Amino acid sequence: MASEDVKTSDSTVTKFVSLAEEAKLTGDGVNPPSYAFASVCKSLVAGGVAGGVSRTAVAPLERLKILLQVQHSHNIKYSGTLQGLKYIWRIEGFRGLFKGNGTNCARIVPNSAVKFFSYEQASKGILWLYQQKTGNEDAQLTPVLRLGAGACAGIIAMSATYPMDMVRGRITVQTEKSPYQYRGMFHALSTVLREEGPRALYKGWLPSVIGVIPYVGLNFSVYESLKDWLVKSKPLGLAQDSELNVTTRLACGAVAGTVGQTVAYPLDVIRRRMQMVGWTHAASAVAGDGRSKAQFEYTGMIDAFRKTVRHEGFGALYKGLVPNSVKVVPSIAIAFVTYEVVKDILGVEIRISD
């Protein structure tokens, strides 16, 4: 199912690309040429760099968040943000704070690249269709249309890289006391395939897809809408010559990230827990000391929600929210700003080389 969705979405994005370029050039009064390869590369590289830089900057908080989400309810080792970070430092040292970051970067770079590129092209295509439907060539994207473009981009990117995210979650919660060690991303992928089958690589995919809609969609929608409002209204002199400075763009990204992560967080908790299902030699943080398998046994997303609330209370759906809130604000903000800065740099280089 996932692969079919990816193929369908890819063909849709390809159509959006051609439509967007035609719309842009028709408005300029010229005939549309073939889509510029350099522009495609620029978007992909900028998105990849943005994702890698932002996730590395907050890797310790990312690892702590996942540990809080999946740790055994009867064997609490991580009870808060500061305590959890100190515990990781004391038990595993500096390297422990960044465990799983290599796999995360290997996943997030192509994920962010595809996500940002897909959003740009989907936005252009949707805008062209919207202008054709309304008959107004000066029409702009509404927040709802931006939400749709962002959700489309997020689903495409997440589905394409989901197996990497699944094994990254397991590698992240490993400690020195774990009964079985994944030696890296490729070893984890091959082990899961051999022991649990190919479908295991997409455990938790459904809540991930559902969560993408409010999370990524609201991130892009709020960020772009807030930028447009600041440029048009120019409150407190924040916008000059239709441009926002880096600090203002950083603030816009922070607000967008906070809104998106708050709405989608329960689905992220359920996704992580479903990824641990079937892990025979689960990490001690998941299985608990003296146990041989993980505590999570779910038949699906609804069952996971029901059992989590029944056994641990509604608050369990927000475990790890504090470090995630601290993490998401700078992470999303840095990602957006880095993306735009790298795009500007690459744009200058491309014009010079031409």
Side-chain angles (χ1 to χ4, degrees):
M1 178 184 294
S3 60
E4 293 175 356
D5 292 339
V6 171
K7 292 177 182 177
T8 302
S9 299
D10 285 339
S11 63
T12 303
V13 170
T14 302
K15 183 178 180 181
F16 275 146
V17 169
S18 60
L19 290 175
E21 192 66 14
E22 289 179 13
K24 178 181 177 182
L25 295 172
T26 299
D28 294 336
V30 296
N31 294 326
S34 60
Y35 189 75
F37 179 73
S39 179
V40 177
C41 292
K42 184 173 71 172
S43 291
L44 290 174
V45 171
V49 172
V53 170
S54 63
R55 290 307 176 98
T56 299
V58 297
L61 291 167
E62 173 69 12
R63 187 185 181 212
L64 178 61
K65 179 202 77 171
I66 296 176
L67 285 166
L68 287 168
Q69 287 178 331
V70 303
Q71 72 174 334
H72 201 286
S73 58
H74 300 297
N75 186 36
I76 303 297
K77 296 180 179 178
Y78 312 92
S79 58
T81 304
L82 292 178
Q83 180 276 335
L85 292 173
K86 290 178 180 178
Y87 183 84
I88 295 172
W89 178 279
R90 186 174 70 252
I91 300 300
E92 303 180 63
F94 178 78
R95 292 183 61 185
L97 295 172
F98 290 87
K99 183 169 289 186
N101 185 55
T103 305
N104 193 27
C105 286
R107 178 192 69 87
I108 203 63
V109 169
N111 180 280
S112 293
V114 175
K115 181 170 62 179
F116 276 104
F117 174 69
S118 298
Y119 176 74
E120 281 202 348
Q121 306 316 317
S123 296
K124 292 176 182 177
I126 291 173
L127 176 60
W128 184 83
L129 293 173
Y130 181 62
Q131 290 173 341
Q132 294 299 308
K133 182 178 180 180
T134 59
N136 180 11
E137 294 184 356
D138 297 324
Q140 298 297 317
L141 286 176
T142 65
V144 174
L145 294 177
R146 287 197 178 111
L147 178 65
C152 177
I155 291 173
I156 293 171
M158 182 277 300
S159 298
T161 60
Y162 192 82
M164 299 170 70
D165 179 69
M166 188 272 183
V167 298
R168 193 266 298 197
R170 292 192 177 185
I171 291 173
T172 298
V173 301
Q174 285 186 158
T175 65
E176 298 301 323
K177 295 182 179 179
S178 299
Y180 182 81
Q181 296 287 330
Y182 293 126
R183 296 191 295 271
M185 181 181 67
F186 293 109
H187 179 249
L189 286 169
S190 62
T191 302
V192 172
L193 277 172
R194 183 177 65 253
E195 296 183 354
E196 303 175 49
R199 292 184 61 184
L201 293 175
Y202 280 88
K203 287 179 178 178
W205 180 81
L206 181 58
S208 297
V209 170
I210 296 174
V212 159
I213 296 174
Y215 183 67
V216 178
L218 285 174
N219 279 343
F220 281 110
S221 179
V222 173
Y223 179 78
E224 295 291 345
S225 298
L226 191 56
K227 272 205 328 179
D228 288 348
W229 176 76
L230 290 172
V231 169
K232 292 177 181 178
S233 61
K234 295 181 172 59
L236 304 176
L238 294 175
Q240 298 179 354
D241 299 327
S242 300
E243 291 292 335
L244 300 177
N245 58 38
V246 173
T247 302
T248 304
R249 282 184 284 169
L250 192 68
C252 291
V255 172
T258 301
V259 173
Q261 67 92 20
T262 300
V263 173
Y265 194 78
L267 288 161
D268 187 56
V269 172
I270 295 302
R271 169 182 65 142
R272 289 295 173 205
R273 294 190 167 206
M274 292 180 69
Q275 288 176 348
M276 304 299 151
V277 173
W279 192 1
T280 305
H281 303 288
S284 58
V286 178
D289 293 335
R291 295 174 182 258
S292 59
K293 63 179 181 178
Q295 64 169 336
F296 307 121
E297 296 296 338
Y298 308 126
T299 58
M301 182 182 69
I302 301 300
D303 185 52
F305 268 108
R306 185 175 64 249
K307 288 181 178 177
T308 297
V309 173
R310 180 197 305 161
H311 297 307
E312 302 176 57
F314 184 79
L317 297 176
Y318 287 91
K319 283 185 174 181
L321 180 62
V322 173
N324 191 59
S325 297
V326 177
K327 170 188 75 71
V328 165
V329 171
S331 177
I332 298 297
I334 291 171
F336 276 113
V337 173
T338 303
Y339 175 71
E340 295 193 3
V341 170
V342 174
K343 254 184 59 175
D344 291 341
I345 294 173
L346 293 176
V348 172
E349 292 177 350
I350 289 171
R351 286 194 293 272
I352 291 174
S353 63
D354 290 338

